[in-house]
Amino acid sequence: MTRVVIIGAGHNGLVSAAYLARAGLDVTVLEARDTLGGACVTEEIMPGFRASTCAFVLGLVRPEIISDLRLRAHGLELYSSPDALAFTTEESGRHFFMWKEPDRTIREIRKRFGERDADAFVEFGVHMQRLGAVLRPMMLQPPPRLSTFVREFEQRGSMDLFGRFITGSVTDLLDHYFESDLLKGFLAFSGVVSVHGAPSTPGTAYVLAHHSVGEFEGHFGKWGFARGGVGALTAAIADAARSSGAVLRTSARVDHVTIRGGRARGVVLESGEEIPADVVLSNADPKRSLLKLVDRAHLPDETVRGIEEYDVRGSQCRVLVAVDRLPEYVGLPGGPGPQHNGHAFLGPRLDRYEQAFERARKGLLPTDPVVELTIDSVRDPALVPAGRHMIVTGVQQLPFELSGRTWDDARQDLTDLVLKRLFDHAPNLEGAVLGTHTITPLDLEREYGLTGGNIYHGAMTLDQLLTGRPAHGLGDYRTPIEGLYLCGSGTHPGGGVMGASGYNAAMAVLTAQGMPTPRPWGQEHAARLLRRRGLEDALHAAYASPRIRKAMNTAARQPWLRGLTKLATRRPGGRR
């Protein structure tokens, strides 16, 4: 029986383990921390307070993986916000909601920002769906060449979308559609995740576009949560892997990969224990995998150079705040409301992102950061003591290296900065804080193993996508060392809690072993999937007609046509 060792029990490593164990291979997963899940984990950060400490929203997880591994039978319960998917507000009290029902969102945008932005929101959604129709078939397949990728847009008559969503900047992308600064600021946030740049930086549009492949409960444009926090997802995957015979070990930090005769032969732990294997997969990021766990003497010079140049700049932080009351945002009534249920954004403005990047380039903290947050305890009260809440906040565009000091020195300043932003928007929280827990970019590297504090394992820019992720010559999950594979988010299709990289790496191993895969996998099949046309293509073609576009814009905001809207946002094969 083929022996497989997987380094790292993040969600991708666990996905690889579950598929390979199910195929009958002898699988052992080694996790350095004392808990499974990597950065997709629920942790008790103070007595009685549990929270999703790194990832916290689920909308990119591939439904095929949920189905294949029967994750619901292994305890996974996914759910969405009961009303608002997102809430965006400014210190002045100006705000808007993105609701579960698209027609309600469109009416809200029309009321607050005008007819033009309401129609533009429909157009933006149609174009994002069109983009998803191109990107989605590539998710659970080996990456296509860039030439193939570009040709697909050409053949679909969508080169305008290629320039706008793939090579363009977030600023230019959003300026094309919208007028409202608050709406643009809200949408811009997903375009600056794990990127050393600002919305005006060319190539950032793809980071936003990456989310076009997302879905929840079979529908585009939605996201949700896991009961018990995101760690419930990795717990279910781990349970699926164990049920197929995989061995999962924690507190087992790998020191290096054993290589003899140009082939991976296993790993050696920091304890000195040697674990033999025929195949080794690394769920660590590419820099850690190939520059720390492998002696560079075993790698070609061009591989070493490519990984050294691989861009992992683009750090973030988490500041978790335990409170004894819910925030009462300026301009909104007190008490529980939809503003507490979804993904919230405080003060998102394009100029704030630009200023944050300029300061990050100088190794400085932002002065006025955009803050994202969720309050899982509103929807999942078992996570915290009765009458208490945990606000999980995040700030992007932070430098990994600070000028003149370390992140340990700056921890309290960072905490105070985020608290001030909370108090600016919800003054009632002053005096309500019971405790805080701050995860700096350095903590993300030191505690969670994310080089440079980059949660995507590397920037999602065009030069680091497809067969160029993580570097040219390494785009097929295999490394130049026979039997050594990469399975983390530093491989195609990239970052976010998707599971696709882990799936594809497992398929690469099974294919190399001459074993069957759960569904056809390979370049030839990937090409066939790309050639398929579906509802998204039909919608895009129809929307090109001014008369039909006007009718669709009107229909999209009608609650009595909600069933038709649900059909229009339905993903092929999506769960009802």
Side-chain angles (χ1 to χ4, degrees), residues 298-318:
H298 295 290
L299 295 169
D301 291 343
E302 59 268 26
T303 298
V304 173
R305 184 164 53 251
I307 297 300
E308 285 178 335
E309 294 175 354
Y310 180 64
D311 187 4
V312 296
R313 295 173 301 170
S315 302
Q316 68 164 53
C317 76
R318 287 277 184 257

Side-chain angles (χ1 to χ4, degrees), residues 130-399:
R130 172 72 160 185
L131 190 68
V134 178
L135 300 179
R136 195 172 57 254
M138 304 187 311
M139 295 297 105
L140 300 184
Q141 293 292 332
R145 296 179 179 87
L146 179 59
S147 58
T148 303
F149 185 54
V150 175
R151 186 166 60 250
E152 188 59 30
F153 281 89
E154 290 178 330
Q155 292 175 346
R156 290 174 185 248
S158 300
M159 283 305 293
D160 57 332
L161 298 189
F162 183 87
R164 203 176 302 148
F165 285 91
I166 307 301
T167 63
S169 73
V170 167
T171 297
D172 289 344
L173 170 66
L174 297 177
D175 281 349
H176 175 83
Y177 292 96
F178 304 108
E179 293 181 341
S180 165
D181 58 337
L182 190 59
L183 184 56
K184 287 191 282 190
F186 158 63
L187 292 169
F189 191 91
S190 61
V192 297
V193 177
S194 296
V195 169
H196 184 66
S200 61
T201 304
T204 50
Y206 179 79
V207 188
L208 188 158
H210 181 62
H211 294 79
S212 68
V213 303
E215 61 184 87
F216 190 79
E217 297 175 336
H219 288 276
F220 161 78
K222 295 186 177 182
W223 57 87
F225 308 90
R227 186 74 60 193
V230 295
L233 171 65
T234 42
I237 303 171
D239 195 53
R242 285 194 195 94
S243 70
S244 293
V247 175
L248 311 180
R249 293 178 54 180
T250 56
S251 301
R253 186 179 298 275
V254 173
D255 181 77
H256 65 271
V257 177
T258 305
I259 301 167
R260 291 191 296 272
R263 181 179 181 84
R265 303 291 181 177
V267 301
V268 176
L269 304 186
E270 286 189 351
S271 65
E273 179 185 357
E274 184 169 357
I275 302 174
D278 304 298
V279 175
V280 176
L281 287 83
S282 179
N283 187 41
D285 65 80
K287 284 186 179 287
R288 187 175 296 268
S289 296
L290 295 177
L291 301 182
K292 292 187 176 181
L293 298 179
V294 171
D295 189 322
R296 300 185 186 199
H298 295 290
L299 295 169
D301 291 343
E302 59 268 26
T303 298
V304 173
R305 184 164 53 251
I307 297 300
E308 285 178 335
E309 294 175 354
Y310 180 64
D311 187 4
V312 296
R313 295 173 301 170
S315 302
Q316 68 164 53
C317 76
R318 287 277 184 257
V319 178
L320 294 88
V321 186
V323 294
D324 63 9
R325 69 198 72 164
L326 287 172
E328 295 180 2
Y329 296 107
V330 174
L332 286 167
Q339 64 269 26
H340 303 120
N341 288 330
H343 195 177
F345 299 86
L346 308 183
R349 289 203 320 252
L350 293 181
D351 64 321
R352 280 187 170 136
Y353 296 116
E354 297 290 336
Q355 291 164 8
F357 175 54
E358 285 305 312
R359 291 185 64 82
R361 292 176 61 189
K362 300 173 183 177
L364 302 173
L365 289 176
T367 57
D368 197 19
V370 177
V371 176
E372 65 169 332
L373 67 88
T374 64
I375 314 175
D376 283 359
S377 50
V378 173
R379 294 169 269 96
D380 199 351
L383 289 168
V384 300
R388 303 290 188 258
H389 290 286
M390 178 65 74
I391 303 174
V392 182
T393 74
V395 174
Q396 296 288 336
Q397 297 178 287
L398 295 177

